[in-house]
Amino acid sequence: MKTNRAVRTPGGLSVRLDVRALTVVVLLLLAALTASVVLIGTGDFPIPAGDVLRTLVGEGDPGQEFIVTELRLPRVLVGLLVGASLGLGGALFQSVSRNPLGSPDVLGLGQGATAGALTVIVLFSGSAGQVALGALAGGLVTGFAIYALAWKRGVHGYRLVLVGIGVSAIVTAVNGYLLTRSDIVDAARAVVWMTGSLDGRDWDQVWPLLALCAVLVPLVLANSGGLRMMEMGDDVSYALGVRVERVRLLLMLAAVLLTASATAAAGPVGFVALTAPQLARRLTRSPGPNLAASLCMGAALLVTADLASQRAFGAEQLPVGVVTGVLGGVYLLWLLVTERKAGRI
């Protein structure tokens, strides 16, 4: 079956279209939107999917409109944006490092954002907005430190992963120290935040994350061609006219901002950035970074995990970070077993 087609525009521009990858992106978008509608209707006051759709287009009754637009829609939008940001950020890190383990979870960006949030909680007893800003600052500082320590006439994937693992261990120790310095109330608040949760999210978290994604996602997709060439090696990329270090720095900065902002909005939700790009690649069977598919896969994974956290355990609602951690851990174990049977590890 032929999956690549050349499409020629009236202006003479020829574009290669990967039909399978496009189909996967569309199906993942439909899955994410379907799960979102079901999730909006889930809660103590259940709302049928048809009523949810009517309410979203402004035809619901006042009670349903309040529940949907003020209470549940912001949470779902944060989930979609956080999942998309983590999926895209993970794909960028794995592509730049040319290593499937080169994700924010392994490199320590989530731990760095956690350190920033814990500093605000423990030392300053900050508000929710201040905690989010602290997490964003912590993620940016950690990303800058990893890049600076990994730099040696350029940044290479193997060195980036090793430096990230070392920084992650240091920051994890700092987080443990901060928890020991906190009182019982701040410690409980910090632990809840560190689990990763969408509870209580409102429009104050939606707008900053939406604005950041509106700027960064088109910027990243516009540089996807250079990123694809960089996977062939720096020398080949230079020969093809790619300004390697400039593109690498730009995309790593975008990945750090996406990951840090997602962590600031929902806490360190684990394994989405690690698994979404790999699942997307397995579905598309396409070489390259698969940025659009990874973005959609991350959004679908997170809203589906949030739906499972609310429906699969009866009256007990788990934080979404617990569900993604379990699912991601199972996937990682399956991947290791598969790679071992194939003789690659």
Side-chain angles (χ1 to χ4, degrees):
M1 177 182 177
K2 186 177 180 180
T3 60
N4 293 324
R5 295 182 181 177
V7 179
R8 188 174 296 275
T9 65
L13 178 65
S14 180
V15 179
R16 187 176 67 87
L17 182 65
D18 189 330
V19 178
R20 182 185 178 94
L22 180 61
T23 303
V24 169
V25 168
V26 172
L27 291 177
L28 288 173
L29 276 176
L30 289 175
L33 294 176
T34 301
S36 299
V37 171
V38 176
L39 185 56
I40 290 174
T42 300
D44 294 333
F45 184 80
I47 302 175
D51 291 342
V52 170
L53 293 175
R54 281 191 290 272
T55 303
L56 290 175
V57 297
E59 297 181 359
D61 60 56
Q64 291 178 340
E65 185 174 349
F66 174 77
I67 292 173
V68 169
T69 60
E70 296 300 325
L71 299 181
R72 297 179 184 172
L73 181 60
R75 173 191 177 121
V76 172
L77 290 177
V78 170
L80 288 170
L81 291 170
V82 167
S85 298
L86 291 176
L88 183 57
L92 288 173
F93 273 113
Q94 291 179 22
S95 182
V96 168
S97 65
R98 296 198 286 273
N99 190 321
L101 293 178
S103 77
D105 301 302
V106 177
L107 297 181
L109 291 177
Q111 290 86 340
T114 301
L118 286 179
T119 300
V120 175
I121 292 173
V122 174
L123 301 183
F124 304 104
S125 298
S127 64
Q130 292 169 335
V131 170
L133 289 176
L136 183 61
L140 290 174
V141 170
T142 304
F144 176 78
I146 293 171
Y147 190 87
L149 291 172
W151 175 271
K152 185 179 180 182
R153 294 189 298 273
V155 174
H156 300 282
Y158 185 70
R159 189 163 58 242
L160 181 70
V161 172
L162 288 179
V163 169
I165 291 173
V167 170
S168 175
I170 293 172
V171 178
T172 300
V174 171
N175 292 341
Y177 172 74
L178 289 172
L179 283 175
T180 63
R181 289 289 306 273
S182 61
D183 59 39
I184 187 64
V185 175
D186 287 339
R189 180 185 174 198
V191 169
V192 171
W193 187 89
M194 290 169 63
T195 304
S197 175
L198 296 174
D199 290 343
R201 299 305 183 263
D202 56 27
W203 292 104
D204 291 337
Q205 283 84 35
V206 173
W207 298 122
L209 196 54
L210 181 61
L212 193 67
C213 288
V215 173
L216 292 179
V217 171
L219 178 66
V220 168
L221 295 179
N223 286 275
S224 61
L227 182 62
R228 188 182 184 116
M229 291 185 211
M230 285 166 55
E231 291 191 338
M232 296 185 290
D234 289 0
D235 293 338
V236 175
S237 302
Y238 278 121
L240 292 173
V242 179
R243 302 176 70 175
V244 173
E245 286 306 324
R246 179 179 176 181
V247 173
R248 181 180 285 131
L249 178 60
L250 177 66
L251 293 179
M252 284 195 65
L253 178 60
V256 169
L257 283 171
L258 286 167
T259 304
S261 60
T263 306
V269 179
F271 281 105
V272 174
L274 177 65
T275 58
Q278 297 183 37
L279 289 173
R281 187 174 294 111
R282 287 175 179 272
L283 288 176
T284 62
R285 298 179 186 173
S286 174
N290 288 284
L291 298 180
S294 299
L295 182 152
C296 297
M297 176 62 76
L301 277 178
L302 196 56
V303 293
T304 303
D306 193 32
L307 180 62
S309 72
Q310 294 193 47
R311 285 198 166 190
F313 303 96
E316 297 292 330
Q317 293 188 10
L318 296 179
V320 68
V322 174
V323 178
T324 60
V326 171
L327 295 177
V330 171
Y331 172 76
L332 183 59
L333 289 174
W334 174 83
L335 180 64
L336 291 173
V337 171
T338 302
E339 294 292 304
R340 183 176 181 273
K341 286 182 177 179
R344 288 188 285 265
I345 59 174

